[in-house]
Amino acid sequence: MEPIISITDLSKVYDSGFRALGGVNLDIRPGEIFALLGPNGAGKTTLIGIVCGLVRRTTGDVRVDGRDIDRDYRAVRAMIGLVPQELTTDAFETVWATVNFSRGLFGKPSNPALIERLLRELSLWEKKDSTIRTLSGGMKRRVMIAKALAHEPQILFLDEPTAGVDVELRKDMWEIVRKLAQSGVTIILTTHYIEEAEEMADRIGIINKGEIVLVEEKAKLIARLGRKQLVLHLQSRLDTVPTSLERHKLALAGDGRNLVFTYDTRAERTGITALLTDLATAGIRFSDLETRESSLEDIFVDLVRSAS
Ligand SMILES: Nc1ncnc2c1ncn2[C@@H]1O[C@H](COP(=O)(O)OP(=O)(O)O)[C@@H](O)[C@H]1O
Ligand SMILES: [Mg+2]
């Protein structure tokens, strides 16, 4: 399948001389939810800004649906909806006017039925005649989404859609994004919340210091880079890890009742067999055992640390 967005050798050096992006290569597949995950300052907003035509690239090639973003700016821009990181709406306008106007900006004919459907889907219909300033933070964000969708884009960028949003609202937002993806919109979201990428994305790209460190299917990423933990529930508690077991990566948990062994699923040998032998020799018995997969968080922290 042809990528809907194709980014090649993209770099951005701001006028200050700061290199915000360097050598970025990235393809986005039609219909996917792609999470661009990275710490603050990694270059996420810059990358989105370039694709949306808000930031000029220094070098590189960006194509949307096969079209060059500069040469075919209008056609490309019409395909894209952007929910920016900062809320930018006129506080004194009504919800209806704001969303309706946004459609007009793209030269699309007025379509009240479409605006109504959008507002209903985003649970904003009851608020259509309210001015933006009277809305809660969560509602304002939904207005931003309605605005971004008013011209029926095929691609939606959500720049940190839940930054500073409480947990409940974050879950609402995830639900909205899922529904949008089901309706066929390609979604690229940026986040510095690992949980959000883990929850939402089909694929995850990790960006750090202006470079894409890795792009992978979420499930594969967790499996490929993941480490596992083997947790042994001990029959009798330990105060310390016995010296005869020091060569294994062990930690005590659960007030000395659990022995936790961390191993690399990619390694040829996990070390589990040797561990079990040494445990038997040391006379340590366990009543039960379980394995746990490491979360994306462990992977992310690892990558960002090793890259810096
Ligand atoms: N207009 C600008 N001029 C100079 N530096 C900028 C400008 N905009 C962003 N930067 C810098 O570029 C880096 C990446 O910023 P940004 O793309 O906003 O990162 P993110 O969205 O991942 O937090 C940051 O170090 C930021 O300070
Ligand atoms: Mg940003």
Side-chain angles (χ1 to χ4, degrees):
M1 208 188 298
E2 287 291 306
I4 191 144
I5 299 175
S6 187
I7 297 171
T8 316
D9 286 332
L10 181 66
S11 74
K12 172 66 188 178
V13 179
Y14 279 108
D15 291 341
S16 62
F18 184 82
R19 192 198 73 152
L21 293 173
V24 168
N25 292 293
L26 182 64
D27 281 350
I28 303 295
R29 301 170 184 166
E32 74 176 335
I33 302 181
F34 186 88
L36 190 60
L37 174 67
N40 282 325
K44 303 180 295 295
T45 299
T46 302
L47 182 58
I48 286 189
I50 290 172
V51 181
C52 295
L54 302 172
V55 177
R56 283 201 79 79
R57 63 194 190 241
T58 305
T59 65
D61 186 67
V62 182
R63 277 165 202 280
V64 175
D65 203 22
R67 301 169 204 256
D68 180 87
I69 53 164
D70 286 338
R71 213 166 324 126
D72 279 326
Y73 174 71
R74 286 178 68 85
V76 166
R77 192 61 188 84
M79 288 185 67
I80 295 175
L82 168 64
V83 183
Q85 194 168 353
E86 313 292 335
L87 302 179
T88 52
T89 46
D90 184 342
F92 294 95
E93 283 283 4
T94 66
V95 169
W96 177 275
T98 299
V99 177
N100 195 46
F101 177 70
S102 186
R103 181 173 171 86
L105 279 180
F106 289 90
K108 295 253 174 157
S110 171
N111 186 343
L114 176 108
I115 306 293
E116 176 172 346
R117 181 169 57 77
L118 268 178
L119 294 183
R120 285 191 188 280
E121 278 170 6
L122 291 161
S123 311
L124 287 168
W125 183 244
E126 272 68 50
K127 296 287 178 184
K128 71 177 165 44
D129 298 319
S130 305
T131 53
I132 308 286
R133 70 192 168 91
T134 64
L135 303 179
S136 70
M139 285 178 186
K140 283 182 187 148
R141 284 200 187 251
R142 297 206 299 273
V143 172
M144 298 295 293
I145 295 179
K147 236 180 101 170
L149 291 172
H151 65 288
E152 300 165 273
Q154 289 157 258
I155 302 166
L156 183 66
F157 284 98
L158 293 151
D159 197 1
E160 308 256 357
T162 65
V165 168
D166 70 41
V167 177
E168 270 316 300
L169 282 177
R170 198 173 290 171
K171 288 190 172 152
D172 288 349
M173 182 64 73
W174 294 347
E175 201 45 49
I176 290 169
V177 170
R178 269 192 210 103
K179 277 196 193 136
L180 286 173
Q182 277 160 17
S183 75
V185 178
T186 302
I187 292 176
I188 298 107
L189 63 93
T190 73
T191 185
H192 60 270
Y193 296 119
I194 295 153
E195 189 195 359
E196 187 152 278
E198 203 162 5
E199 180 73 30
M200 299 292 315
D202 299 314
R203 284 197 308 150
I204 294 173
I206 296 181
I207 184 168
N208 192 37
K209 296 183 176 167
E211 289 177 12
I212 302 273
V213 188
L214 172 150
V215 176
E216 188 67 274
E217 310 271 341
K218 178 178 65 186
K220 275 197 205 146
L221 175 62
I222 291 170
R224 184 166 75 87
L225 289 176
R227 274 176 313 202
K228 272 191 163 182
Q229 289 188 327
L230 174 67
V231 183
L232 302 162
H233 301 266
L234 303 176
Q235 282 188 359
S236 39
R237 62 179 298 280
L238 289 173
D239 287 325
T240 54
V241 176
T243 46
S244 64
L245 297 174
E246 262 172 3
R247 69 186 181 102
H248 304 287
K249 277 186 224 149
L250 290 171
L252 276 172
D255 196 29
R257 303 213 160 263
N258 295 335
L259 202 53
V260 182
F261 175 60
T262 304
Y263 61 97
D264 193 337
T265 53
R266 292 166 300 173
E268 207 170 304
R269 287 161 192 273
T270 58
I272 292 174
T273 315
L275 172 69
L276 294 180
T277 309
D278 288 357
L279 282 172
T281 309
I284 295 172
R285 292 166 200 266
F286 50 91
S287 53
D288 199 3
L289 57 85
E290 60 182 309
T291 60
R292 284 202 292 247
E293 245 167 58
S294 66
S295 69
L296 187 56
E297 169 134 28
D298 305 329
I299 297 167
F300 181 57
V301 169
D302 258 16
L303 273 174
V304 170
R305 194 187 291 134
S306 64
S308 57

